[in-house]
Amino acid sequence: MRVPRIIGHRGAAQAAPENTLEGLREAKRQGAAWVEVDAKLTADNHVILLHDDLLDRTTSGQGAAAQFTLEQIRALDAGSWLAPAFAGVRVPTLEEAVHELIALGLNCNVEIKPCPGREQLTAEFVMRELQRLWPAQAEKPLISSFAYASLEVAHRLAPEFPRAVLVEEVPADWQALCGGVGGVVLNPWHKTLTPEWTKAVKKAGYQVISYTVNETARARELFDWGVDAVFSDVPGQLLKDLGA
Ligand code: G3P
Ligand code: MG
């Protein structure tokens, strides 16, 4: 699996509402070839793109997303919170997002972001949807999660999709964690990453993709250490500054 150096985070989260179809289109406009999105389940087990457990920050709704049906979540406005120009933007299903990604010619990293207690179920639905929808010939999306139980399910049900282990800080047993789910990528938070950890992970044959990097100078430093790619809310800016 080859990933580009700059991956649009939640689409292109600074310029367009995160985890929306508009965000995917904005990432494409900015020149990104890959985007990252967060996937979770509604109360009636539809996979949607949403980052938080709560609806409050990024929609006109309130309360836990896991308590609402797809129909209820679809009625919400997921754009106005960022800017009035995005009024009426909806929370997309993973299915809609996949169709949009294919139409745009983008690949993606699907981060499984389960609501508490739904780690295995969420992974099951996400992977079944991707197996059903992703074109057989196309390069497969990268599947990641902070929830190890979700990665175990992804590994078991859909081993053909490459996997990444998300961590806030590289743990001493990182290699066992990657190995346990057949992972090929480690996703550490850039603020805790060090040149030494980067070197060790790379030396063991894994890719390092770090989140979330919006400053050009920091991205340059991470690439100098050997980091393979970064997630960014401003992919166009980094692509331009780095000539990537
Ligand atoms: O997958 C990279 C990054 O998205 C992980 O953190 O909280 O932005 O989903 P978060
Ligand atoms: Mg994410």
Side-chain angles (χ1 to χ4, degrees):
M1 187 199 55
R2 274 187 60 80
V3 296
R5 293 173 96 196
I6 314 294
I7 300 173
H9 186 236
R10 308 180 194 173
Q14 191 176 91
E18 64 183 58
N19 288 311
T20 67
L21 301 185
E22 192 47 43
L24 306 182
R25 292 180 203 120
E26 176 60 25
K28 175 74 181 183
R29 278 194 287 272
Q30 292 189 19
W34 275 58
V35 291
E36 182 261 7
V37 294
D38 303 289
K40 58 164 47 64
L41 288 180
T42 61
D44 50 347
N45 293 338
H46 289 276
V47 184
I48 54 169
L49 301 194
L50 193 73
H51 180 274
D52 299 0
D53 288 340
L54 298 179
L55 295 165
D56 303 47
R57 181 178 63 86
T58 59
T59 79
S60 53
Q62 286 177 332
Q67 307 279 328
F68 292 86
T69 64
L70 177 62
E71 197 186 343
Q72 290 171 319
I73 290 177
R74 298 286 287 173
L76 304 173
D77 183 323
S80 294
W81 68 276
L82 186 65
F86 295 113
V89 168
R90 302 287 153 196
V91 172
T93 60
L94 178 62
E95 178 167 10
E96 290 171 322
V98 166
H99 290 314
E100 191 68 32
L101 289 165
I102 301 301
L104 292 167
L106 295 178
N107 200 347
C108 71
N109 168 205
V110 178
E111 181 189 341
I112 303 174
K113 202 80 164 173
C115 290
R118 308 193 88 195
E119 290 79 6
Q120 290 167 338
L121 194 67
T122 305
E124 225 175 283
F125 276 92
V126 168
M127 298 320 299
R128 292 291 181 227
E129 280 292 86
L130 289 175
Q131 283 180 320
R132 183 172 72 84
L133 297 164
W134 201 262
Q137 312 311 329
E139 188 183 20
K140 299 269 185 287
L142 176 66
I143 308 303
S144 65
S145 194
F146 286 104
Y148 200 69
S150 295
L151 289 175
E152 288 176 327
V153 170
H155 184 203
R156 182 163 49 79
L157 291 186
E160 69 275 23
F161 288 81
R163 286 162 301 286
V165 178
L166 270 160
V167 291
E168 278 186 12
E169 198 165 346
V170 181
D173 62 346
W174 69 268
Q175 201 161 352
L177 288 176
C178 283
V181 292
V184 291
V185 178
L186 191 69
N187 286 162
W189 186 27
H190 82 93
K191 293 200 174 165
T192 60
L193 191 58
T194 63
E196 292 73 27
W197 274 123
T198 307
K199 208 168 150 198
V201 176
K202 296 289 300 169
K203 195 167 166 217
Y206 296 84
Q207 294 186 54
V208 177
I209 309 179
S210 191
Y211 65 96
T212 298
V213 182
N214 295 335
E215 307 292 334
T216 301
R218 179 60 172 162
R220 204 171 268 131
E221 181 175 36
L222 293 166
F223 292 140
D224 285 346
W225 294 353
V227 167
D228 294 280
V230 296
F231 300 99
S232 180
D233 296 323
V234 289
Q237 188 62 49
L238 292 198
L239 284 163
K240 182 169 147 276
D241 293 348
L242 297 166

